[in-house]
Amino acid sequence: MSLRLRGLAVGYRGKPVLTGLDAEARRGELTVLLGPNGTGKSTLLRTLAGLQPALGGTVHLDGTDLTGLPHAERARRMAVVLTDRVSPGQLTVRELVGFGRHPHTGFSGALGGHDHEVVAWAIDAVAATHLAERDVSELSDGELQRVLTARALAQEPGLLLLDEPSAFLDAPSRVALTGLLRRLASERDLAVVVSTHELELALRVADAVWLLDRDGVLHTGPPEQLALDGLISATFDTDELRFDRDAGTFVLRSEATRTCRVLGPDAAVLRRALTRAGWAAAQDGAADAEIRQTGDGYLGLADGTTTALPDVSAVISWVRTRPEPAVRRADPAAVAGVTDSGEGRPLRSLYADHEAIAEAVRLTGQRHGLTAERAALRWQTSLVTRLWSIAVAADGVVPDLDLLHYRLDDDAEVRLSLPEPGGWTAQDVTPLLTRLVAVEHLRPLHAALCEVVPVAEELLWDNVPADLTDRLDVPGPERGDRVGVHVP
Ligand SMILES: Nc1ncnc2c1ncn2[C@@H]1O[C@H](COP(=O)(O)OP(=O)(O)OP(=O)(O)O)[C@@H](O)[C@H]1O
């Protein structure tokens, strides 16, 4: 059972606006009529409602040809709610909804017991019972829209047609009205056809879509099918907006030249801010920058530097002010895993923990029978060698050394881990490598060691693995100078 259009032509004074329309709207389903301005949605609905003659073709409701039906008979089978503002005069809501019973009340127009029950049901169905005795002229646009829908329901039609019913409603009322129509369709076994410009909402809730494209061709099907076929994009995309098929929403087009990877639960929301700021969201592979969500905010990673960003405003101004990066975020898949330990604290916090360092050195001395100075050198070698092996594990990629975590085991060995794989890539990673190792780690580590045990900093620098020392020496003449490391 359904509404069926075959070869329908609609228009004005013999001049067609749309021709050759074939479509079906099933009972129990919400069918949404979509199309750009001026394509003929109202003309089609008015023709289906019998308010203007069809120029050709047929319209059948449950097998009966509507075009041949007298007006009163048609009104018993279908109801229509148009956008035109009504001026109902001095009527209560109950009286206005009662008008919907007229196709059923015969000549007198007097409502019987059953009619009053239907009117009460219709008012209740649109959640307007509290408005029943109010003057219609005092209603808000949203309330009036619901009451007009109730009047249409009171007709007890098999087909309900609505032309842009949400045009005057705020966002929550639009959602509520659309939900109501969908529920009515399925609970009352109605065929509901509704035109709207609320594309995203319509595509979410419609059982079926009639889509009028810019050439006046009517496409029909489930919303997902039309989206997959590219018809939503083809009809509605503009220079500024495009339909994102996967998300089912319209998104701003951007002339993005840079890419940013966003990680964490807020990613989808933050990506919108990025698009607005002219960035494209990166999924896999290398990216120009990266934003990560942390327990208390975000981290911005760009150009070899990690910046704490406390809130979304900070993230937005950070992305807006990024210069062209020399160093890019590496493809996470290209970063060698670091899993000495499953958990731990940030490695950089170890350098402030003088007690832990003193204890580690003491244990190392005890285990190997060394003086405090030699124990400090041995412990340092072990840590720095591990750090360096992590740093150079993957060709052309430097892991996030500043985000390493550590655990200090009973044997005084520092076990390292990188909780989330990430790193940097560049044409030449050497400057970054030496900066991250020397500035982020060696310098604070050596300073801390000198504080807690009797060892000369010079000795510590001499004790750094040879291939790291070579890199530190290249290209500067003085070890560490090029990377801002003060060597005593
Ligand atoms: N009374 C009329 N006489 C002649 N042409 C009309 C009349 N009403 C509308 N049209 C024309 O018919 C075409 C379709 O108009 P219609 O109002 O059906 O489009 P629509 O898809 O409902 O537009 P919108 O989304 O802007 O409401 C338009 O070119 C319009 O100018």
Side-chain angles (χ1 to χ4, degrees):
M1 301 290 264
S2 61
L3 173 74
R4 196 167 288 179
L5 287 49
R6 286 288 172 266
L8 184 68
V10 300
Y12 300 88
R13 293 173 290 280
K15 272 179 70 182
V17 171
L18 297 166
T19 57
L21 303 176
D22 290 319
E24 187 176 358
R26 279 191 284 272
R27 279 182 181 258
E29 290 191 355
L30 175 63
T31 299
V32 170
L33 173 57
L34 301 175
N37 283 135
T39 42
K41 299 180 295 298
S42 297
T43 308
L44 171 57
L45 287 179
R46 291 174 59 83
T47 307
L48 294 178
L51 299 172
Q52 62 187 81
L55 302 187
T58 59
V59 180
H60 285 85
L61 180 61
D62 300 339
T64 306
D65 187 354
L66 287 182
T67 40
L69 281 189
H71 184 75
E73 180 55 29
R74 192 186 266 258
R76 273 196 285 277
R77 293 167 184 259
M78 66 156 68
V80 59
V81 182
L82 300 176
T83 1
D84 316 342
R85 300 285 70 194
V86 288
S87 30
Q90 292 297 108
L91 281 177
T92 66
V93 166
R94 194 181 297 282
E95 285 165 338
L96 178 69
V97 176
F99 285 171
R101 293 305 296 161
H102 282 181
H104 303 275
T105 53
F107 289 118
S108 73
L111 303 191
H114 173 68
D115 297 314
H116 286 298
E117 277 173 29
V118 175
V119 168
W121 165 81
I123 292 174
D124 184 53
V126 301
T129 304
H130 63 294
L131 303 172
E133 311 313 326
R134 288 264 298 275
D135 246 27
V136 173
S137 58
E138 295 170 3
L139 300 181
S140 77
D141 285 338
E143 289 165 342
L144 180 60
Q145 191 61 54
R146 292 218 304 272
V147 168
L148 292 175
T149 306
R151 183 180 64 177
L153 289 176
Q155 272 177 251
E156 294 190 292
L159 168 65
L160 185 56
L161 301 171
L162 301 100
D163 191 10
E164 284 190 57
S166 55
F168 300 96
L169 306 187
D170 62 22
S173 307
R174 283 175 201 180
V175 175
L177 179 70
T178 315
L180 167 71
L181 294 175
R182 189 163 197 279
R183 210 179 62 239
L184 287 170
S186 99
E187 285 176 5
R188 305 290 296 183
D189 198 33
L190 293 177
V192 179
V193 180
V194 52
S195 75
T196 180
H197 288 290
E198 281 294 310
L199 291 176
E200 292 177 9
L201 179 60
L203 293 171
R204 261 202 311 279
V205 301
D207 297 300
V209 172
W210 291 0
L211 173 66
L212 276 171
D213 71 19
R214 291 178 191 278
D215 298 324
V217 177
L218 181 63
H219 307 271
T220 64
E224 293 72 23
Q225 186 64 57
L226 299 183
L228 287 170
D229 291 346
L231 290 164
I232 308 286
S233 288
T235 308
F236 293 108
D237 280 5
T238 63
D239 289 346
E240 290 80 32
L241 280 179
R242 72 175 177 81
F243 183 68
D244 180 333
R245 201 184 68 167
D246 297 342
T249 55
F250 284 83
V251 293
L252 277 178
R253 286 183 194 276
S254 70
E255 303 280 303
T257 51
R258 291 181 291 175
T259 56
C260 184
R261 185 173 10 259
V262 191
L263 304 172
D266 297 350
V269 178
L270 290 178
R271 279 189 204 112
R272 289 212 293 275
L274 283 174
T275 311
R276 209 168 52 230
W279 289 71
Q283 304 293 342
D284 306 316
D288 293 316
E290 188 170 300
I291 294 166
R292 290 183 181 191
Q293 197 161 358
T294 62
D296 55 353
Y298 308 90
L299 288 180
L301 298 101
D303 236 345
T305 306
T306 304
T307 311
L309 303 166
D311 53 27
V312 174
S313 300
V315 170
I316 291 172
S317 56
W318 183 79
V319 292
R320 281 204 185 129
T321 53
R322 282 306 81 216
E324 203 57 46
V327 178
R328 306 184 75 221
R329 294 296 293 160
D331 182 346
V335 180
V338 184
T339 52
D340 289 357
S341 83
E343 67 223 35
R345 302 172 54 216
L347 178 56
R348 286 191 298 175
S349 71
L350 172 64
Y351 310 137
D353 191 346
H354 290 183
E355 259 177 50
I357 291 177
E359 178 61 9
V361 171
R362 192 189 65 75
L363 269 176
T364 307
Q366 198 176 51
R367 281 186 69 200
H368 302 283
L370 301 173
T371 63
E373 184 185 64
R374 294 191 66 79
L377 290 168
R378 185 180 179 122
W379 184 76
Q380 174 229 16
T381 304
S382 160
L383 171 55
V384 175
T385 306
R386 179 69 185 118
L387 195 59
W388 185 239
S389 74
I390 291 169
V392 295
D395 247 2
V397 173
V398 185
D400 291 325
L401 299 175
D402 50 343
L403 298 178
L404 280 169
H405 278 51
Y406 80 97
R407 209 182 60 214
L408 209 46
D409 279 351
D410 293 344
D411 58 4
E413 289 292 325
V414 178
R415 311 266 188 253
L416 298 178
S417 64
L418 194 55
E420 188 143 19
W424 304 98
T425 184
Q427 290 281 19
D428 175 13
V429 292
T430 300
L432 179 69
L433 195 61
T434 50
R435 177 172 71 73
L436 282 175
V437 175
V439 177
E440 302 288 348
H441 294 281
L442 293 189
R443 193 160 60 173
L445 170 67
H446 290 174
L449 272 168
C450 291
E451 282 279 316
V452 299
V453 287
V455 61
E457 195 167 358
E458 178 79 312
L459 263 183
L460 290 169
W461 283 106
D462 285 342
N463 198 41
V464 164
D467 53 343
L468 168 55
T469 317
D470 290 349
R471 301 261 198 140
L472 290 180
D473 283 343
V474 175
E478 290 298 321
R479 179 175 54 217
D481 277 0
R482 277 297 179 99
V483 288
V485 179
H486 168 70
V487 183

